[in-house]
Amino acid sequence: KIRIGKLGDDHPDVGASYNNIALVYNNKREYGKAIDFFKKSLAIRIAKLGIDHPDLTVAYNSMGYSYYKQEKYDQSLEFFEKSMMIKIKKLGVNHPDIAGCYLGIANVYNQQERYDDALNLYEKALVLQIPKYGKDNDRVHKTQTKISETLEKINIKERNEN
């Protein structure tokens, strides 16, 4: 309220405050409230910064996570993909930060039982992670575990279909 009074309700700092409030709600697992504040934050940031500004990627990714936790996978994908497209445009497809985008989308695909699509993105993420973190890194190990789990799900699905 103080920032709105001093800066106006459309100032980027007010948008940043809304984003911070949304993150608190995310941490409290109040995902609906978080999404409401992410939307307020995004409206201000998009109006002031444009639709493809890198600062939007964090909010898009966080919204994707909030929808994911609510099992609203189509909405989750929408925001994970928006974040990824901005990052690819700004950083290039081979930048290590794109791995996080691939992982978020792959997790959604896994929940949707789109295991082949998930596997493809987990493998792309791993290719980007290893040069940045090395083979003995926790992030790399988690991605390798996701690959193994997804391969097992594919095998189970194929056995059940036969």
Side-chain angles (χ1 to χ4, degrees):
K1 290 181 180 182
I2 293 171
R3 281 192 173 183
I4 292 172
K6 292 201 178 262
L7 302 173
D9 60 2
D10 65 343
H11 193 278
D13 287 349
V14 173
S17 293
Y18 285 145
N19 193 75
N20 291 337
I21 293 168
L23 292 172
V24 170
Y25 280 122
N26 248 2
N27 289 335
K28 291 174 65 176
R29 296 184 171 132
E30 295 181 36
Y31 302 114
K33 289 180 181 178
I35 288 168
D36 291 341
F37 280 95
F38 283 131
K39 286 179 180 178
K40 289 180 180 183
S41 173
L42 281 168
I44 293 169
R45 289 176 171 192
I46 289 169
K48 296 296 181 180
L49 303 173
I51 61 170
D52 63 349
H53 195 278
D55 286 354
L56 300 177
T57 61
V58 173
Y60 282 147
N61 201 55
S62 296
M63 282 184 74
Y65 175 79
S66 294
Y67 281 120
Y68 177 83
K69 295 304 282 185
Q70 293 180 18
E71 299 180 5
K72 296 179 179 178
Y73 299 124
D74 290 337
Q75 292 97 324
S76 180
L77 273 178
E78 175 187 344
F79 287 97
F80 282 146
E81 288 172 348
K82 284 182 180 185
S83 177
M84 182 177 70
M85 296 315 295
I86 292 171
K87 284 185 179 183
I88 287 173
K89 184 176 179 181
K90 300 297 180 182
L91 304 173
V93 72
N94 293 318
H95 194 278
D97 288 354
I98 305 303
C101 299
Y102 289 152
L103 293 171
I105 294 169
N107 289 336
V108 174
Y109 287 162
N110 236 327
Q111 292 301 316
Q112 294 177 323
E113 299 183 6
R114 295 172 56 184
Y115 301 126
D116 291 328
D117 294 331
L119 180 62
N120 180 47
L121 290 181
Y122 287 137
E123 289 173 341
K124 284 183 173 184
L126 186 63
V127 167
L128 296 176
Q129 287 177 321
I130 290 174
K132 181 175 182 177
Y133 301 116
K135 291 182 179 181
D136 293 325
N137 178 275
D138 285 343
R139 290 180 187 205
V140 171
H141 292 156
K142 286 179 184 177
T143 303
Q144 290 169 328
T145 299
K146 289 285 193 179
I147 290 170
S148 295
E149 291 170 351
T150 305
L151 284 168
E152 181 61 24
K153 289 176 183 178
I154 290 170
N155 288 336
I156 291 169
K157 187 177 179 181
E158 287 175 355
R159 281 194 301 259
N160 289 339
E161 289 174 355
N162 292 330

